[in-house]
Structure formats: structure tokens, C-alpha cells
Amino acid sequence: MPPSHEFMSELRAAADVLAGPEGLTRYRQLVAEALYRRFQCSMASLWLLREAPAGRFLECVAAFSENPELNAAGTELHEKDFQVYFDTLIRTKVYNSPDAQEDPHLAGLKDSYLLPQGVRALLDVAFQINGQPLGVLCIEQRETPRIWSKVDEVDLRNAASVIGISIARHRNDEQQTSVA
């Protein structure tokens, strides 16, 4: 089976844990690990879009890294600080930066996130449920720039679709169970 098919199968299989006791937390971690393996990147992470009185922000809810000491889990990125990045993600559903430290739209992230994490390249794809933005899948490369291929972008977009569907089904199942 080609790597892209294996990867999608792995993501679909990961959704089986959603019904278990570890549920969503374990699913998110399995997704981050699958992304890391598929893209052979330095770190893969899953971010949720949150609403707050001060505005929207992304919160990293799961990450898998080649270096466990460099991990984005728990990090928050606020829309007001990174407007162009957020606008691009919402409008096009993808943010591709082969050299993030030189990307003028990510300048606000440089000192607070890119340099401390050693991030040189990133490819982010937004995922949604019923047309509403829910979060972002992020793959990153440390130390050297990286040109992400069209296949990488397509596979990450497909992963975003699978993940959005899996989470929507999970939410639907939870609502059905709470009604019963």
C-alpha cells in the first residue's frame, strides 16, 4: 500500500480510541504521532481554535517531537498577534512556509516560538466541522529550511478532512449518549 494510503488508514484506525476511556486526548496524540511519521518532520502537532473575550487563539493540544524537550503542547498563539497567519489559514486553509524564520508574516512568532523551538519550516492546514474552523494540523522542520511538496500539502489536507470527520462523529456520538 502506498505511504499516503497507509497514513490515511492509520488516521482512520486512530479514531477507534475516541469511544474508549482515553478518548479525545489519546486520539489527538495518535494523530500527532502519525503526522510525525508520515512527514518525517521534526515535530507534528494538533492545535484547536478557541474563542475568548480577548479574541481567538490557537492552543496546542497534542504534539510529537524528535526532541521531547522541544514540544509545543500547551502553547497558545493569539490571532491579534499573528493576524496575517490567521487570515491566510482561515481563507486558504493552508500556510506553507519553507523558511519560517525569514517569513515576514511570521515575524511576530520568531522570538516567542520559532527560535525557542528551532523551527525553520512549517506547513499548517486548518480543519473544520460543518464549515466551522476547528483547528490546525502543523508539521515543522527544525534547523534547516524545507520545501514542502504538493504531495505533502495534499496529504495534510486529506488528513485534516479525516480528522474533522472523526471529531464530528465523536461529538455526535457524545450528544446521542447524553440524550439517552
Side-chain angles (χ1 to χ4, degrees):
M1 193 181 309
S4 295
H5 293 290
E6 290 173 8
F7 171 57
M8 291 306 150
S9 294
E10 185 177 2
L11 290 177
R12 286 184 190 97
D16 292 344
V17 304
L18 286 168
E22 297 177 23
L24 203 50
T25 301
R26 181 68 183 136
Y27 173 71
R28 292 171 178 162
Q29 193 59 40
L30 289 172
V31 165
E33 291 173 25
L35 291 169
Y36 172 83
R37 282 190 299 277
R38 161 54 189 92
F39 295 99
Q40 299 178 353
C41 55
S42 301
M43 184 168 63
S45 52
L46 183 114
W47 301 69
L48 291 184
L49 185 62
R50 308 273 196 203
E51 298 282 341
R56 295 188 298 185
F57 65 96
L58 287 167
E59 177 188 10
C60 183
V61 295
F64 192 82
S65 174
E66 65 187 3
N67 179 349
E69 293 176 17
L70 295 175
N71 193 312
T75 301
E76 293 180 2
L77 301 177
H78 293 263
E79 182 176 23
K80 65 180 173 47
D81 299 327
F82 313 107
Q83 194 66 52
V84 174
Y85 167 80
F86 271 80
D87 289 347
T88 302
L89 267 175
I90 299 303
R91 189 181 70 257
T92 68
K93 311 291 186 265
V94 66
Y95 197 98
N96 184 336
S97 184
D99 192 348
Q101 291 184 14
E102 299 301 321
D103 186 332
H105 301 302
L106 299 177
L109 280 171
K110 192 170 184 177
D111 291 334
S112 64
Y113 182 76
L114 299 175
L115 289 174
Q117 291 285 332
V119 176
R120 285 303 303 267
L122 60 83
L123 177 61
D124 294 357
V125 170
F127 61 96
Q128 57 190 7
I129 295 177
N130 297 325
Q132 296 299 312
L134 180 65
V136 175
L137 302 179
C138 179
I139 55 175
E140 299 174 349
Q141 190 65 45
R142 293 194 174 113
E143 299 179 19
T144 61
R146 177 174 173 176
I147 296 173
W148 304 99
S149 72
K150 279 295 178 193
V151 172
D152 289 339
E153 190 173 314
V154 168
D155 279 359
L156 197 57
R157 284 179 184 259
N158 288 339
S161 294
V162 169
I163 291 161
I165 290 167
S166 296
I167 292 172
R169 285 183 181 151
H170 172 69
R171 287 182 174 179
N172 188 46
D173 290 347
E174 280 187 329
Q175 288 175 349
Q176 299 276 334
T177 302
S178 67
V179 173

